[in-house]
Amino acid sequence: MHWYEDDAFWSDFSETMFSERRREETAELVARSPLLEFAPGARVLDLCCGPGLYLVPLARRGYAMTGVDLSEVMLERAGAACAGAGVDVRLVRADMLKHVEAESYDVVLNVFTSFGYFDDPRDNLQVLRNAHDSLVPGGRLLIDVLGKEVLAGWIGRPQLVDLGSAYVVQRDTVLDGWSRLRTDWTLVRDGTAREASITSFLYSGAELRALFEQVGFTEVECYGDFDGAPYDQHARRLIVSGIRESSGRGEEER
Ligand SMILES: C[S@@+](CC[C@H](N)C(=O)[O-])C[C@H]1O[C@@H](n2cnc3c(N)ncnc32)[C@H](O)[C@@H]1O
């Protein structure tokens, strides 16, 4: 089993990744982000939606939301969050490597470093193709990852996340000449340690932009934060946005 298929990993480390604080911050971010402002009633696919941190505020903003995730546990949590918030969201269990709904969405989102999980770079490219094909012509794909340039600013220092009743130590290691990143996590609760390692591809702004262009996206732009700031030395994230050509033409050779 690959690390990303392990439901226990996502649920054991969920307090770190999907904390209540992050849920509140995400709701604020969605309310003010110009990058998340779409046409009224836009059909939006949140690819790798996790427990629905973006689904709820985006549904409240009036978009017709679909959340796709591979993890049953994450989808259950997303369903509970949406029900609790009184928003109607479609949830689908699927693998991003295979999931395509032809020309069904105005926007596809893939956020909080949910891209680059596959060992074979062709599979990661396939995810971009799937997103391209799921968009209507003129639709937008937006991917948010931790760019290489951002990571280079702070990597090397292990991080400690205090969860109150537990804590998590996170250590990052750059692999293969800045191609990939391994993150080792140790969760300590009641004197017992639970360890996990994840490995995923890293992208610079130029590299992710080139992949978008390779699969046929146009108007490809890189941003450094959800406020629309440029991807420069102050960037906190790498957010790449591209438009499926109105003619519907994809890459030249598939
Ligand atoms: C880092 S979390 C981000 C979740 C969410 N986007 C957020 O902002 O909180 C990545 C999510 O991707 C899901 N995932 C991992 N591999 C996947 C795959 N192959 N297909 C679909 N979802 C996947 C995980 O279950 C997890 O919920």
Side-chain angles (χ1 to χ4, degrees):
M1 190 201 287
H2 293 101
W3 65 265
Y4 54 82
E5 294 170 306
D6 182 4
D7 260 16
F9 165 71
W10 296 110
S11 74
D12 288 353
F13 289 89
S14 68
E15 280 168 272
T16 328
M17 282 182 267
F18 315 117
S19 63
E20 228 12 76
R21 182 166 159 212
R22 205 188 135 227
R23 193 177 281 281
E24 286 161 18
E25 286 171 356
T26 303
E28 282 167 31
L29 178 157
V30 167
R32 65 179 160 72
S33 172
L35 301 183
L36 299 174
E37 202 173 309
F38 312 120
R43 294 156 294 172
V44 180
L45 168 62
D46 184 356
L47 186 61
C48 301
C49 64
L53 271 64
Y54 280 80
L55 287 175
V56 169
L58 285 166
R60 282 194 167 138
R61 210 168 158 166
Y63 307 129
M65 297 301 302
T66 296
V68 163
D69 204 283
L70 189 59
S71 161
E72 200 65 67
V73 176
M74 289 297 114
L75 287 172
E76 272 167 24
R77 292 190 188 185
C82 293
V87 292
D88 192 21
V89 167
R90 178 174 164 250
L91 295 172
V92 180
R93 179 163 189 255
D95 189 335
M96 63 176 148
L97 184 55
K98 305 206 177 99
H99 186 74
V100 184
E101 291 175 88
E103 302 197 4
S104 300
Y105 295 100
D106 303 298
V107 178
V108 175
L109 297 178
N110 176 274
V111 292
F112 203 60
T113 317
S114 304
F115 182 73
Y117 286 3
F118 301 106
D119 289 341
D120 185 335
R122 288 171 299 187
D123 289 341
N124 296 311
L125 199 63
Q126 185 60 44
V127 174
L128 291 186
R129 283 197 189 102
N130 296 345
H132 176 278
D133 293 350
S134 294
L135 285 166
V136 293
R140 178 184 300 276
L141 169 65
L142 201 130
I143 291 192
D144 154 51
V145 291
L146 201 50
K148 272 183 194 176
E149 297 87 345
V150 179
L151 193 65
W154 53 261
I155 194 162
R157 287 168 265 156
Q159 293 178 70
L160 180 75
V161 183
D162 188 351
L163 303 170
S165 60
Y167 65 90
V168 174
V169 181
Q170 180 184 335
R171 228 182 42 209
D172 294 307
T173 309
V174 169
L175 304 174
D176 310 335
W178 276 98
S179 297
R180 298 186 304 143
L181 180 75
R182 190 184 73 233
T183 303
D184 299 308
W185 308 65
T186 308
L187 168 71
V188 181
R189 189 192 297 280
D190 302 329
T192 307
R194 152 85 157 101
E195 299 196 318
S197 287
I198 70 176
T199 304
S200 59
F201 272 89
L202 283 172
Y203 302 94
S204 69
E207 286 165 347
L208 195 49
R209 170 196 290 269
L211 294 183
F212 268 58
E213 289 171 348
Q214 191 178 336
V215 302
F217 284 101
T218 59
E219 299 176 46
V220 182
E221 303 279 356
C222 298
Y223 300 95
D225 209 340
F226 276 98
D227 62 4
Y231 190 61
D232 61 14
Q233 70 275 21
H234 306 296
R236 289 158 42 94
R237 305 288 304 173
L238 166 60
I239 302 168
V240 182
S241 160
I243 302 288
R244 175 173 174 166
E245 272 191 310
S246 295
S247 66
R249 192 172 60 87
E251 57 197 314
E252 299 296 329
E253 291 171 35
R254 289 216 177 175

